Amino acid sequence: VMQYTGLQDCNGKDVYEDDLVELEEYGKGKIIFQEGMFQIAPLTGDYWELDNGVTCSAFYPVITEDHKVEVIVNIWEGIS
């Protein structure tokens, strides 16, 4: 069963748990449900490294207006 996040990416495509996404500033990640919310887990490593060299927590909050997120692969439907 595909769990809909209630969110859409920058192109208006529905975002589901386990989708692979491109986060404009940080690279590729996977939509997960953890700690009671949808988040983006980095595909490489355990954290996101910011441009200024600072690292943020292992999982980035899923989608905000400040960050361009695009679904690149829906695991149930294939490549977008």
Side-chain angles (χ1 to χ4, degrees):
V1 173
M2 295 182 351
Q3 180 65 44
Y4 178 53
T5 65
L7 302 168
Q8 294 183 328
D9 74 356
C10 61
N11 299 314
K13 183 171 178 66
D14 291 343
V15 178
Y16 293 88
E17 185 176 12
D18 294 327
D19 280 356
L20 300 184
V21 297
E22 180 81 29
L23 184 58
E24 184 176 53
E25 298 94 320
Y26 306 111
K28 294 182 174 120
K30 180 179 178 179
I31 302 293
I32 63 167
F33 188 80
Q34 181 171 302
E35 298 177 8
M37 67 181 132
F38 289 102
Q39 302 177 20
I40 301 174
L43 286 183
T44 57
D46 293 329
Y47 58 87
W48 299 103
E49 186 166 340
L50 307 181
D51 293 337
N52 61 6
V54 173
T55 58
C56 60
S57 65
F59 299 102
Y60 198 83
V62 69
I63 295 176
T64 67
E65 291 182 15
D66 296 333
H67 302 286
K68 181 179 176 187
V69 174
E70 180 176 12
V71 173
I72 52 176
V73 176
N74 174 292
I75 65 160
W76 304 102
E77 297 174 0
I79 296 174
S80 297

